Amino acid sequence: MSVLLSLGLVFGFSCGADHVAEAKTKVKVYKNCKELNKVYKGGVARTSKVKNKGGKTKYKPYVSKDLYDANKNKDRDKDLIACER
């Protein structure tokens, strides 16, 4: 009986860990830059080392590789900063 209980606990904890890891990896895909800029005023940069190719920007971009990758189609000038302002 104790063996079955132990196996049940081990199996239960291992399944719960998968759901937590899965929840952390999901990032939001925004419809357009207007929606993204409501949350991230300066846009989203892939790394902290990227430089803006366009003109001056008013705000500093939020840095997140996963968020940028999910919304990279909004990076019109391909400078690794999506929706910069």
Side-chain angles (χ1 to χ4, degrees), residues 8-66:
L9 288 173
V10 169
F11 181 71
F13 283 126
S14 66
C15 287
D18 290 342
H19 295 304
V20 172
E22 184 180 322
K24 286 184 181 180
T25 60
K26 290 187 179 186
V27 293
K28 184 167 181 174
V29 177
Y30 291 91
K31 287 193 302 185
N32 52 42
C33 282
K34 186 176 180 181
E35 294 296 315
L36 189 139
N37 288 139
K38 286 180 183 177
V39 180
Y40 305 102
K41 284 188 176 190
V44 178
R46 192 161 200 266
T47 68
S48 59
K49 300 190 184 335
V50 298
K51 302 287 184 209
N52 182 17
K53 283 184 183 176
K56 279 191 152 186
T57 56
K58 205 173 189 182
Y59 305 103
K60 188 174 178 180
Y62 177 78
V63 178
S64 171
K65 179 186 179 305
D66 293 333

Side-chain angles (χ1 to χ4, degrees), residues 68-85:
Y68 174 82
D69 288 345
N71 293 283
K72 70 181 173 184
N73 62 332
K74 293 162 192 66
D75 183 8
R76 291 184 289 167
D77 57 1
K78 308 295 184 224
D79 61 354
L80 301 179
I81 306 171
C83 302
E84 64 265 28
R85 309 195 304 172

